[in-house]
Amino acid sequence: MTTIKFDYSPLTKFVHENELPEIQKMVTACDDELRHKTGAGKDFIGYVDLPVEYDHEEFDRIKKAAAKIRQDSEVFVAIGIGGSYLGARMACDFLNLNYGNWQKDHEGPIVLFAGNSISGTYLQEILDLIGDKSFSINVISKSGTTTEPSIAFRVLKKKLVDKYGKEEAAKRIYATTDKAKGALKTEADAEGYEEFVVPDAIGGRYSVMSAVGLLPIAVAGGDIDKLMEGFAAGREAYSNPDLSQNEAYQYAALRNILMRKGYNVEILENYEPSLQYLGEWWKQLAGESEGKDQKGIYPSSANFSTDLHSLGQYIQEGQRFLFETVVMVDHPKYDVEIPVEEEDLDGLKYLEGKNMNYVNEQAYRGVVIAHTDGGVPVMTIHIDQQDEFTLGQLVYFFEIAIGISGYLNGINPFNQPGVEDYKRNMFALLGKPGFEEQTNEIKQREGDFF
């Protein structure tokens, strides 16, 4: 069963009907490399078969740990950065779990995210929010030495120990890390933290459907069984390389066709505020996978209709290097009827008695027509509703599409060598051991900029 429909009908003025068939041979070759793990980055393609090859014993332990946390904690803090937090944060928003966490009669903890910045203000606000409440933490890091989550873990671990004592604190720390090595693995073994595994064959930005994302999602109240069912449905739906059948591959191929025509910035858009973090997750997935070798589509995001009042003018009449991909929810969770009033001071008489979702859909339709007429290609990914099954399928849609898209562009979509450049400079400036030779050079360069 598929709950996703990909519509690229507005592209007729931008993509000729022969172009998709012409790229089929390349798509088939890329699919073969991906499925048989012979292409670049082959050691990190485990996400392709994860829906059927995940560790069922660990999956059960995740559900048990989540049930325990939901019983003994008023606050749960997931500590991670990049792929170690964006997927879980995206899922919690997508499934509308965050607002419920703040209701007085809500069962389960408030779920917060830390370690995704170096802001002392942000972390202090989390500490203040925890206050004297019962809490647990999940530190997510393959190495255990990534700066941002390591700082947050030190601070929150101290609060746990101060509140509960070292022995009881250890029972409230859950470590998601490498299965065999690393600083966090060493500490977790020594202190007795419950451990979950960051899979070797899955890169961080592809890891939301592993323990990395599943524990926070389950603690927030998400049904991870349904999530994995949808993930498996995605694998089944997008396994055929035939472009007439595989909508995820259609998306991958069309974005490459558009890029080669000069449309090198993609805006992922939504009409539901709870999809904002879908855009944040997708930006890492696409940007970190494709932005290398001076190639790649720049990933951006926008939240409509809100951003139509800020970015809409540029999209409509600015430089023509943009294309848009809309994620549209066909059956939103709730709806609100527009009330009837005696006077028409706000000019809404013509909308009285209509529902907001109807108005939202007409806004979407109007935007597609206007932007297409203005020279901006628009594609739409229609999703039936915002539930776990649909989210699992949507995650697979994007992950498999970005893998194929990277191969179509001749790059390795599973590494991220450029991410380390700023870290080396930062470590040199901070005086980290092992970076002494770079410190003087970096400090001299610092004077050129600051």
Side-chain angles (χ1 to χ4, degrees):
M1 178 178 70
T2 179
T3 59
I4 295 175
K5 178 64 178 175
F6 179 57
D7 177 19
Y8 61 93
S9 56
L11 294 187
T12 52
K13 66 181 288 185
F14 305 99
V15 178
H16 297 298
E17 62 180 14
N18 68 300
E19 290 187 80
L20 267 182
E22 288 294 337
I23 206 172
Q24 178 66 71
K25 288 183 179 180
M26 290 181 63
V27 169
T28 301
C30 293
D31 174 81
D32 185 75
E33 288 188 323
L34 193 68
R35 305 289 175 179
H36 294 95
K37 300 179 174 61
T38 59
K42 60 185 178 181
D43 293 334
F44 295 95
I45 307 180
Y47 77 93
V48 173
D49 294 319
L50 182 62
V52 294
E53 293 184 354
Y54 66 92
D55 185 333
H56 290 265
E57 183 275 329
E58 181 181 61
F59 189 80
D60 289 338
R61 284 198 301 111
I62 289 170
K63 291 194 288 185
K64 289 176 182 176
K68 174 182 178 293
I69 295 164
R70 287 174 62 80
Q71 288 294 319
D72 70 15
S73 300
E74 296 172 273
V75 178
F76 174 77
V77 186
I79 302 170
I81 195 167
S84 294
Y85 104 97
L86 277 171
R89 175 67 192 272
M90 172 271 291
C92 289
D93 278 14
F94 184 99
L95 298 171
N96 301 118
L97 299 174
N98 288 336
Y99 288 141
N101 286 337
W102 298 92
Q103 295 173 3
K104 291 182 180 179
D105 60 350
H106 176 74
E107 295 182 3
I110 297 168
V111 176
L112 303 174
F113 295 88
N116 46 62
S117 73
I118 318 178
S119 168
T121 299
Y122 179 84
L123 188 54
Q124 184 59 54
E125 288 175 343
I126 287 180
L127 293 171
D128 292 343
L129 194 151
I130 294 171
D132 292 329
K133 298 180 182 72
S134 58
F135 76 105
S136 299
I137 60 179
N138 174 207
V139 54
I140 307 162
S141 175
K142 191 167 180 63
S143 66
T145 59
T146 304
T147 306
E148 294 91 339
S150 294
I151 292 172
F153 181 42
R154 275 203 182 196
V155 172
L156 287 160
K157 178 172 60 176
K158 181 179 184 302
K159 185 173 179 66
L160 268 179
V161 172
D162 290 346
K163 181 176 178 64
Y164 295 105
K166 189 174 182 180
E167 184 176 342
E168 179 62 26
K171 297 176 183 178
R172 291 175 171 271
I173 297 175
Y174 300 83
T176 305
T177 189
D178 191 89
K179 66 180 180 181
K181 63 183 185 300
L184 181 55
K185 170 65 176 173
T186 300
E187 179 176 340
D189 286 349
E191 301 297 336
Y193 308 153
E194 182 161 6
E195 299 178 38
F196 301 99
V197 174
V198 178
D200 287 338
I202 300 175
R205 58 190 176 275
Y206 293 87
S207 68
V208 60
M209 302 299 288
S210 72
V212 170
L214 292 178
L215 179 58
I217 294 168
V219 171
D223 185 339
I224 61 174
D225 287 301
K226 292 293 184 184
L227 195 63
M228 292 304 291
E229 287 176 19
F231 198 42
R235 179 179 180 270
E236 182 177 356
Y238 310 124
S239 61
N240 186 344
D242 185 347
L243 281 171
S244 68
Q245 305 294 319
N246 191 324
E247 293 187 325
Y249 284 15
Q250 291 171 11
Y251 168 62
L254 286 166
R255 61 200 301 275
N256 272 268
I257 290 170
L258 289 169
M259 179 187 66
R260 291 163 194 175
K261 296 184 178 193
Y263 299 100
N264 53 25
V265 173
E266 179 177 8
I267 310 176
L268 191 79
E269 298 161 354
N270 66 74
Y271 284 77
E272 289 290 338
S274 54
L275 299 190
Q276 178 179 348
Y277 260 85
L278 175 67
E280 298 302 315
W281 170 78
W282 170 85
K283 283 190 288 190
Q284 185 196 9
L285 179 68
E288 202 168 70
S289 294
E290 296 189 299
K292 54 200 70 165
D293 299 337
Q294 287 75 55
K295 298 179 182 179
I297 298 164
Y298 181 80
S300 182
S301 62
N303 308 295
F304 289 171
S305 62
T306 304
D307 288 340
L308 288 171
H309 295 260
S310 55
L311 299 176
Q313 173 62 41
Y314 190 95
I315 297 171
Q316 185 69 44
E317 296 185 344
Q319 295 186 58
R320 302 295 76 179
F321 56 83
L322 306 170
F323 69 95
E324 299 168 273
T325 301
V326 182
V327 179
M328 192 67 186
V329 183
D330 290 339
H331 299 98
K333 186 175 182 180
Y334 301 114
D335 205 352
V336 175
E337 184 177 300
I338 299 168
V340 175
E341 292 187 359
E342 290 185 8
E343 297 188 66
D344 190 27
L345 296 177
D346 55 13
L348 293 182
K349 180 65 71 175
Y350 74 106
L351 293 178
E352 289 179 350
K354 292 184 171 63
N355 294 329
M356 288 185 68
N357 289 339
Y358 169 79
V359 178
N360 207 23
E361 182 179 354
Q362 303 322 304
Y364 154 72
R365 290 173 177 269
V367 169
V368 171
I369 295 169
H371 288 184
T372 300
D373 289 347
V376 182
V378 183
M379 304 179 283
T380 301
I381 300 166
H382 288 274
I383 63 174
D384 184 53
Q385 56 191 336
Q386 288 177 240
D387 61 11
E388 286 89 346
F389 185 91
T390 302
L391 177 58
Q393 189 174 357
L394 185 63
V395 166
Y396 200 89
F397 176 98
F398 278 126
E399 289 186 346
I400 203 72
I402 293 300
I404 288 293
S405 184
Y407 279 168
L408 284 172
N409 204 19
I411 54 92
N412 177 357
F414 305 110
N415 66 353
Q416 55 279 342
V419 173
E420 301 303 317
D421 290 349
Y422 89 90
K423 293 181 182 180
R424 286 190 289 269
N425 293 345
M426 180 180 71
F427 293 152
L429 290 168
L430 289 170
K432 183 176 181 178
F435 289 82
E436 293 85 357
E437 291 185 5
Q438 298 180 39
T439 299
N440 289 335
E441 178 186 348
I442 293 299
K443 284 190 175 296
Q444 289 175 359
R445 299 225 47 219
E446 185 184 21
D448 295 333
F449 292 94
F450 305 102

